[in-house]
Amino acid sequence: VMQLVESGGDSVQSGESLRLSCVGSGFPFSRYYLYWIRQAPGKGLEWVSMINADGTVADYGDSVKGRFTVSRLNTENSMYLQMSSLKPEDTAVYYCATAKDCSGGTCRGHGTQVTVSS
């Protein structure tokens, strides 16, 4: 069974940094493009980042470009999101996913909460 587990969420102050982690199992992790997506309270899903299967290509949503960096370590079935210069508008539940628009089910994990206070 495909499983994704996120960790690393926390409550921080504006301007601080956090690193999120995602571990996958039950599928050929190294063959998949992976995504970070987020959902703020009362808002829809927002795509945050994409990384290709071998980690050589990454792309970011406009709202996080220049502040967030995605990486992966296929030997450990892991993906990371380094978040810097956090803003209150980054407050959301962050999910790692195998689809950019995954709204639930096995294509994403249960999420990790990031709260940024001003």
Side-chain angles (χ1 to χ4, degrees):
V1 177
M2 175 182 285
Q3 188 172 20
L4 295 159
V5 180
E6 305 91 340
S7 63
D10 204 349
S11 295
V12 297
Q13 296 293 314
S14 182
E16 293 184 343
S17 299
L18 272 179
R19 188 189 194 214
L20 305 184
S21 299
C22 169
V23 177
S25 61
F27 67 102
F29 186 90
S30 64
R31 298 180 188 177
Y32 275 67
Y33 280 47
L34 295 172
Y35 304 84
W36 285 100
I37 56 178
R38 68 185 182 185
Q39 188 160 25
K43 296 189 177 180
L45 283 174
E46 179 185 9
W47 168 67
V48 175
S49 70
M50 177 281 295
I51 189 165
N52 71 339
D54 65 5
T56 56
V57 177
D59 197 12
Y60 302 90
D62 288 342
S63 62
V64 307
K65 200 168 292 185
R67 300 187 297 121
F68 290 11
T69 303
V70 63
S71 61
R72 65 191 294 167
L73 189 59
N74 285 341
T75 55
E76 296 186 0
N77 279 13
S78 296
M79 178 177 66
Y80 307 97
L81 186 68
Q82 179 66 46
M83 305 186 294
S84 303
S85 302
L86 283 162
K87 305 175 182 180
E89 51 264 44
D90 294 318
T91 295
V93 178
Y94 284 72
Y95 303 91
C96 64
T98 55
K100 185 177 183 179
D101 57 355
C102 177
S103 59
T106 58
C107 57
R108 74 182 196 190
H110 291 297
T112 187
Q113 176 71 49
V114 172
T115 302
V116 185
S117 302
S118 58

